[in-house]
Amino acid sequence: MNNTFLYKMLRWLCVIVAVVFLFRFGSEEDKQTAASFEQLDDALSSNADMTVLAQGDADKLLSLYGLNAADYASFKLLYPTDFMSVEEILLIEMNDETQAESIRSAIQARLDGQKKFFDGYGSDGQFDTLCDRSHIEVRGNFVIFVVGCDAAWQAYNDAV
C-alpha cells in the first residue's frame, strides 16, 4: 500500500514538471534578450551588405509594411536598392509585447507579396531565397525579419 501511494505521487510529480516545462520553455514567444536596440542595430548594420541595401525611413516602413513608425519605440529598415532583389532586414523595438501579432501579420503580408511577385522568376533564385532564407522572430520587445542576409541573421543571433 505504501508503494502504491509513492507511485501515484511520482506520477503526479512528473505530470506537474512536464506541464511547467511546456509552459516555460515550449513557446518561441517567451525568448528574451538582454541586448539593447543599439547593440542589435550595430550587429545587423555591420554585417549587412550595404551595396544592395538602403536605409529605410518612416515613409518606407509605411509603404512596404503598412506600419506607422510612431507606434513603436525604434525601428531599423534595410530594403533592397534593386527592385529585383529580395534581401531585406526589419528590426522593430515594440513599446509592449501586445504589438507583436500585428507586426508579425504585416511582415507575413510583405513576405507573401514578395513570394507572389517573384514566383516564376526562379532563374535568379529570389523565390527560393524568400522561402528558404527568410526569418521572422519575436524576442522580448523586439521583432526581426531577415531575408537572404545570412551574415546579419547570424550576427543578430550572436548578439541576443
Side-chain angles (χ1 to χ4, degrees):
M1 187 148 154
N2 237 353
N3 285 341
T4 305
F5 178 74
L6 183 61
Y7 289 129
K8 285 182 182 180
M9 292 302 293
L10 284 174
R11 280 191 296 207
W12 279 109
L13 181 62
C14 288
V15 168
I16 291 170
V17 168
V19 168
V20 168
F21 180 80
L22 288 174
F23 276 107
R24 177 63 184 105
F25 301 107
S27 172
E28 289 294 311
E29 303 295 322
D30 288 341
K31 291 182 178 180
Q32 297 295 319
T33 180
S36 69
F37 180 83
E38 290 75 20
Q39 290 170 321
L40 297 177
D41 182 4
D42 289 344
L44 291 169
S45 297
S46 63
N47 288 283
D49 183 359
M50 295 307 290
T51 62
V52 297
L53 296 170
Q55 177 82 27
D57 59 7
D59 291 336
K60 198 63 159 175
L61 181 67
L62 186 61
S63 70
L64 294 179
Y65 293 92
L67 297 173
N68 185 352
D71 294 340
Y72 310 106
S74 302
F75 79 96
K76 172 77 165 201
L77 172 61
L78 299 174
Y79 66 97
T81 55
D82 178 9
F83 77 97
M84 289 303 293
S85 193
V86 296
E87 290 79 10
E88 196 162 326
I89 299 172
L90 175 63
L91 175 66
I92 295 179
E93 181 179 14
M94 301 175 286
N95 290 320
D96 62 73
E97 294 178 12
T98 61
Q99 297 175 310
E101 192 54 42
S102 63
I103 296 170
R104 185 186 284 271
S105 295
I107 291 170
Q108 191 62 52
R110 167 80 173 151
L111 181 59
D112 292 344
Q114 288 291 86
K115 285 179 182 178
K116 185 177 180 182
F117 179 78
F118 284 107
D119 191 16
Y121 286 111
S123 62
D124 289 337
Q126 293 98 331
F127 183 77
D128 293 335
T129 299
L130 287 165
C131 293
D132 300 332
R133 294 174 48 212
S134 62
H135 309 278
I136 303 171
E137 181 177 273
V138 177
R139 188 180 291 243
N141 279 347
F142 298 102
V143 179
I144 187 166
F145 173 53
V146 176
V147 177
C149 303
D150 298 329
W153 176 247
Q154 186 59 49
Y156 166 80
N157 281 309
D158 292 344
V160 295

